[in-house]
Amino acid sequence: MLTAFAVLLCFTAVLAYLNERFVKLPTTVGVTLAGALASAILIGLDALNLIPGVRDWAAALLQTLNFTDFVLNGILSLLLFAGALSLNAGQMLRQSRSILILAFFSTVISTALIGVAAYGLFGLLGLGVPLLWALLFGALISPTDPVAVLDLLKRAKVPAKIETLIAGESLFNDGVGVVIFLVVAAVAGIGAHGAQTDVNALSVLTLFAREALGGLLFGALLGYLGFLLVRSIDQHAVEVLITLALVIGGYVAAAAMGTSGPLAMVVAGLVMSATKEQAFSEATRHHVEGFWETIDQVLNIVLFAFIGLDVLLTRPSGAQLVASVALIAVALVARYISVALPFALVRARDGYGAYTVRLLTWGGLRGGIAISLALGLPDSPYRPLLLTATYAIVLFTIAVQGLTIMPLVHRASAASGAESTEQRAEG
């Protein structure tokens, strides 16, 4: 495993350097595309028998690392905490109603829309995927990836109010999506990721409440504990160690208690962000924030290189490719509908601009969480199809949406400025 990680780390460093030195795409986009291109080259060399067995060797190396464990049980806790810590917790609290409504209802609606549409599409193509497996696909592909979205927002110069909404929704819908995935897996009798196989309506509701509400409460407790500990000292190395232990130990504890680790990390990060002025001195805060920013950026790059290279793990048929391309359009339409419907409840009250729904839709990138959930599915005749469709949607959102979001951001910024000017004039 150490050898495999060393190879991945060195390869990622090369890809990141080449992108930064010559191509200059946004890092997540550039590294993902470079990894996918490298995968395609290896597949081509193997298919042409120029380097026989190179694809199997590379795929075996990736499987040694186990992407699902690497993300869900490894770096996800660090990335979510770092992302939440970097946000303005006060602004998120002011927009909490909008964020939570979107995070919950958008994910639920999207899961249902994608699941039903995928079930019908698979049936038309003769692929015969059961409805519960199609809904499982809807659950794993619906949440937007906070790592990809936060990296995009840092570069895009989105208006602050919209940035907070997009970032907050992405952080929370990640946790909500994992909980929905567990519930659907339990109903399907799959038992993936600790889901129970003997279920009824009460056990499903209990599972959802324990995962979601338990994760939120436990995260608040962790964040407050971290605040109490770091407030009583003023040594940046120890304070960094405390926050690191809080995240890794807290994530393991959440899993042991059966609560949502992702939601717990988001809330813990937000509590620490809200209290950092009181908890840290100016000098130590600089060190702690610098540490978490570096962790966020480095793991971010490694994760997206891994996503690009994981193309090696798919061997799609023609029908699977057709279904995957069609599901890209399905996911986009479902994202738009699932955002627009709940957004109607909050837009007038909270005064969001006309371009917000379009930004939430086109900026809804998918990433490592979707792929890790798909790879974590148990072996079945349906797993390769769902995995191929997941890769197709993830690569499309990162490469196409990630590279074309800027014109929409500029229009949204201009519209937001015009609306603010008009409101001041009316006032």
Side-chain angles (χ1 to χ4, degrees):
M1 183 177 293
L2 181 60
T3 300
F5 185 73
V7 171
L8 173 65
L9 195 61
C10 293
F11 193 74
T12 300
V14 171
L15 295 182
Y17 172 79
L18 293 175
N19 176 70
E20 196 67 28
R21 181 70 174 83
F22 300 108
V23 186
K24 300 188 184 301
L25 289 174
T27 306
T28 52
V29 176
V31 169
T32 304
L33 292 180
L37 178 61
S39 297
I41 291 172
L42 291 177
I43 292 171
L45 292 173
D46 186 66
L48 295 172
N49 209 32
L50 296 175
I51 307 180
V54 67
R55 177 178 184 168
D56 292 336
W57 172 82
L61 194 68
L62 289 174
Q63 289 173 328
T64 300
L65 287 172
N66 192 328
F67 189 87
T68 300
D69 282 340
F70 180 71
V71 176
L72 289 182
N73 301 322
I75 67 173
L76 181 60
S77 60
L78 303 170
L79 292 170
L80 290 176
F81 180 85
L85 185 66
S86 69
L87 296 178
N88 185 329
Q91 182 66 29
M92 284 198 68
L93 183 61
R94 289 189 289 273
Q95 295 177 236
S96 58
R97 178 176 177 269
S98 304
I99 290 169
L100 293 176
I101 286 175
L102 278 175
F104 178 77
F105 288 105
S106 175
T107 310
V108 171
I109 294 170
S110 177
T111 297
L113 291 176
I114 294 176
V116 172
Y119 174 70
L121 181 63
F122 292 147
L124 286 175
L125 293 172
L127 296 171
V129 175
L131 178 59
L132 282 176
W133 276 79
L135 288 172
L136 205 60
F137 172 71
L140 68 88
I141 204 65
S142 289
T144 55
D145 191 286
V147 180
V149 171
L150 289 171
D151 180 71
L152 175 68
L153 292 177
K154 289 173 184 176
R155 296 173 175 269
K157 307 297 182 185
V158 179
K161 190 173 184 180
I162 299 176
E163 178 181 355
T164 301
L165 179 69
I166 296 174
E169 188 244 354
S170 181
L171 282 167
F172 278 100
N173 75 14
D174 166 55
V176 171
V178 172
V179 171
I180 294 174
F181 180 89
L182 290 174
V183 171
V184 176
V187 174
I190 293 171
H193 303 294
Q196 301 169 355
T197 53
D198 297 326
V199 295
N200 52 43
L202 180 60
S203 66
V204 167
L205 290 175
T206 302
L207 173 63
F208 189 89
R210 186 179 72 240
E211 286 278 347
L213 299 180
L216 294 172
L217 292 174
F218 185 58
L221 178 63
L222 284 176
Y224 185 65
L225 175 62
F227 162 71
L228 292 178
L229 290 174
V230 300
R231 184 182 61 173
S232 61
I233 61 174
D234 189 23
Q235 214 290 332
H236 70 268
V238 177
E239 291 176 339
V240 166
L241 181 61
I242 288 172
T243 57
L244 191 59
L246 188 79
V247 173
I248 297 177
Y251 199 83
V252 171
M257 293 186 297
T259 62
S260 173
L263 286 176
M265 291 306 101
V266 171
V267 174
L270 289 175
V271 171
M272 292 295 292
S273 175
T275 59
K276 61 187 176 184
E277 298 290 339
Q278 296 77 37
F280 302 103
S281 67
E282 185 175 349
T284 56
R285 187 175 76 247
H286 174 75
H287 284 288
V288 173
E289 289 179 333
F291 169 82
W292 282 104
E293 182 179 356
T294 302
I295 286 286
D296 186 29
Q297 292 175 352
V298 170
L299 292 181
N300 192 349
I301 295 170
V302 173
L303 172 62
F304 280 88
F306 211 154
I307 290 173
L309 291 170
D310 268 349
V311 172
L312 288 164
L313 302 179
T314 60
R315 296 178 183 269
S317 65
Q320 289 175 349
L321 287 175
V322 171
S324 299
V325 171
L327 285 171
I328 292 172
V330 168
L332 265 176
V333 173
R335 173 66 178 168
Y336 180 82
I337 294 172
S338 67
V339 167
L341 290 178
F343 193 71
L345 300 174
V346 300
R347 178 177 176 181
R349 177 183 179 275
D350 296 331
Y352 294 105
Y355 278 86
T356 306
V357 171
R358 276 168 278 183
L359 269 179
L360 283 164
T361 301
W362 201 248
L365 309 186
R366 273 71 166 190
I369 295 164
I371 292 178
S372 64
L373 289 173
L375 285 171
L377 291 170
D379 288 333
S380 79
Y382 320 116
R383 184 179 181 273
L385 171 57
L386 300 189
L387 189 56
T388 300
T390 301
Y391 278 128
I393 293 172
V394 168
L395 290 177
F396 178 86
T397 62
I398 293 172
V400 178
Q401 293 173 221
L403 288 176
T404 59
I405 190 70
M406 289 308 298
L408 186 59
V409 170
H410 294 324
R411 287 196 290 272
S413 299
S416 178
E419 288 177 4
S420 299
T421 302
E422 183 179 341
Q423 290 171 358
R424 286 195 298 269
E426 290 175 357

